[in-house]
Amino acid sequence: MNRYTVATRQPTATSTTWSGRTLGHNGRVSGEVKIVEAAGAVLYRRNTDFQGWMKFSDTGRQPDTASAESVFDTLQVCIVHRPKYDDWSWPKGKLEPNETHRHAAVREVGEETGTPVALGPFLGEVEYPLAEEGKKNRSKDRTVDTKHILFWMASPISDEENARLVDAFGPVHRADLGEIDQVMWVSVQRAHRMLTHSTDRDILALFVDRVEQGAVDGDMLLLVRHGKAEARKAWKGSDGKRPITPKGAAAAYALDRELACYNPTRLVTSPWLRCQQTIQMLAWQTGLPLHMAEPLTEDAFAADPDAAWECFRYELEFTIRHHGATAVCMHRPVIGGIFEHLRGLCAANSLAKKLIPTSPYMPTGTAIALFVVQKGEELSIIDVQKVTPLVY
């Protein structure tokens, strides 16, 4: 398939800059033009009928010797039919009040397909005039009311994993039959023929690019900075016992909803109180244990930064070995040291630039989602997403 030029910026959780305009979460801009914010995903799975790799791979995952073309023989993607427009498209939908694009993507895919999912790499974004919803070809007129949609890759999770995430993520209800009346799993090639809209085929092209990067066999690591803590000068106790503030607690609680979009299966934290408090709610909501990582405290990092990196790299390798998603909570100085190493693993300079080299590196109570693939014996980061909670 040909590559398409589609915007791939990732907006913040609270505003989007698009075509020179700043959009609030209410979906409106100054003037008369209305922007409707939406999100969706290319939901994919392995074709269970394909057995071509089993003789070469004990895990059934893509062996290093497999060609890029053969990868697509193993994949199916999910498309949905909307009777109102009589079209085939990707599952997607509008943001609800106080919802991020990320959360809306997971919720809408679950509602429209009945399949609980976890997000993977970001794909891109498209926009088109609202009046052209359902039309086969869409114009680029941006002077009229417009729909703006962000897309991710997404993969199914088990019912057990979904049940574990309910308290953190929130409820998902199936769409009405009048909204979606057919759900089909098809090959990538057939999807290209069936998708009604050119913009959806653009997103499919970006999905193909991600698959060629190895994304189907990649995994997610979530690097979390603890919530805002009490000021050092005002705190009378030991630094290891300095807690987060009520504002920091609110951000930590809101962040859980965003981290749940990636289906974290392992939680790791510096044992210092402010890090534990930041991720403790997610542990309680999901029932996952908290694993303490002593080398990730500020004092341990100052004494032996190499040990902190080895600890973090172990978590990267653990994530790849066990094919899950790991969340690791740590401190500002430690993040700066870890970023130095991570920039060298990034597949592109544009990704490395997202790992800021100057303090404070990232805001308190936020996360960085790193999508990692294994290339032979080496690890490669092919996507970096900034994860900012909505506190309201």
Side-chain angles (χ1 to χ4, degrees):
M1 294 182 187
N2 295 327
R3 296 173 186 266
Y4 297 81
T5 302
V6 180
T8 55
R9 286 179 298 97
Q10 296 176 53
T12 65
T14 54
S15 68
T16 302
T17 301
W18 182 254
S19 302
R21 299 167 295 188
T22 300
L23 318 178
H25 255 293
N26 57 12
R28 294 187 178 273
V29 296
S30 58
E32 299 300 321
V33 177
K34 176 183 178 182
I35 308 294
V36 174
E37 295 294 326
V42 177
L43 172 59
Y44 70 94
R45 70 182 183 186
R46 293 289 193 195
N47 181 355
T48 54
D49 293 331
F50 181 82
Q51 298 296 324
W53 288 344
M54 295 306 294
K55 67 176 90 171
F56 304 111
S57 169
D58 292 336
T59 64
R61 290 163 72 95
Q62 176 188 345
D64 294 337
T65 55
S67 68
E69 291 77 11
S70 67
V71 176
F72 295 101
D73 293 333
T74 74
L75 293 181
Q76 293 179 322
V77 294
C78 186
I79 58 176
V80 297
H81 183 263
R82 301 185 298 176
K84 179 179 179 179
Y85 303 105
D86 190 24
D87 66 357
W88 288 97
S89 63
W90 302 119
K92 61 185 180 298
K94 300 174 187 176
L95 272 63
E96 294 181 343
N98 300 316
E99 184 176 39
T100 63
H101 290 85
R102 177 185 307 103
H103 189 274
V106 176
R107 178 184 54 76
E108 286 288 346
V109 171
E111 289 179 355
E112 294 193 352
T113 70
T115 301
V117 303
L119 295 184
F122 181 74
L123 290 176
E125 53 191 331
V126 298
E127 66 173 10
Y128 52 83
L130 269 177
E132 296 177 8
E133 183 73 63
K135 292 186 178 180
K136 185 174 182 179
N137 295 309
R138 292 161 171 167
S139 71
K140 296 182 179 180
D141 186 357
R142 300 300 176 258
T143 64
V144 297
D145 291 352
T146 300
K147 192 169 186 177
H148 174 228
I149 314 169
L150 272 60
F151 286 94
W152 279 260
M153 290 179 67
S155 55
I157 62 175
S158 69
D159 290 340
E160 180 182 356
E161 290 172 321
N162 185 49
R164 188 182 65 220
L165 293 171
V166 166
D167 288 345
F169 183 86
V172 175
H173 305 289
R174 281 305 302 270
D176 294 335
L177 189 62
E179 182 181 353
I180 301 294
D181 63 352
Q182 293 184 67
V183 177
M184 287 186 64
W185 288 94
V186 298
S187 68
V188 172
Q189 293 83 356
R190 189 178 179 191
H192 189 264
R193 295 192 299 269
M194 289 184 66
L195 287 166
T196 303
H197 308 292
S198 59
T199 49
D200 282 337
R201 291 192 293 276
D202 291 346
I203 293 300
L204 180 61
L206 294 175
F207 172 79
V208 168
D209 290 345
R210 285 297 196 191
V211 172
E212 290 175 346
Q213 286 183 300
V216 172
D217 288 322
D219 296 285
M220 189 71 73
L221 190 137
L222 303 161
L223 192 161
V224 181
R225 185 179 174 195
H226 66 74
K228 182 175 177 60
E230 295 287 351
R232 293 178 191 270
K233 293 181 179 179
W235 180 247
K236 304 302 182 183
S238 66
D239 196 25
K241 292 295 184 181
R242 185 157 55 93
I244 57 177
T245 64
K247 181 178 179 180
Y253 176 76
L255 184 62
D256 292 350
R257 193 180 189 209
E258 307 305 313
L259 298 180
C261 296
Y262 300 100
N263 184 29
T265 54
R266 178 176 169 86
L267 305 179
V268 180
T269 182
S270 157
W272 283 12
L273 184 60
R274 53 191 178 273
C275 283
Q276 285 197 58
Q277 288 178 328
T278 298
I279 205 166
Q280 206 162 37
M281 176 64 75
L282 184 59
W284 174 71
Q285 290 172 321
T286 60
L288 293 171
L290 275 180
H291 299 274
M292 302 298 161
E294 186 66 37
L296 299 182
T297 67
E298 288 191 38
D299 286 351
F301 171 75
D304 192 348
D306 289 339
W309 167 243
E310 288 303 317
C311 176
F312 189 84
R313 185 175 176 96
Y314 170 83
E315 296 301 335
L316 276 174
E317 293 171 346
F318 183 96
T319 298
I320 291 291
R321 285 197 310 272
H322 294 274
H323 313 309
T326 300
V328 184
C329 188
M330 61 184 78
H331 310 266
R332 175 183 54 80
V334 188
I335 291 170
I338 297 301
F339 275 9
E340 288 184 16
H341 292 277
L342 292 177
R343 281 191 287 272
L345 299 182
C346 289
N349 288 335
S350 59
L351 295 175
K353 289 178 180 179
K354 294 182 179 182
L355 304 177
I356 307 300
T358 54
S359 184
Y361 311 111
M362 54 191 288
T364 57
T366 66
I368 294 282
L370 306 168
F371 198 80
V372 187
V373 299
Q374 189 156 16
K375 302 285 188 179
E377 298 299 319
E378 300 298 322
L379 299 179
S380 177
I381 297 171
I382 65 169
D383 190 36
V384 176
Q385 302 173 31
K386 295 182 179 181
V387 183
T388 303
L390 281 179
V391 181
Y392 57 92

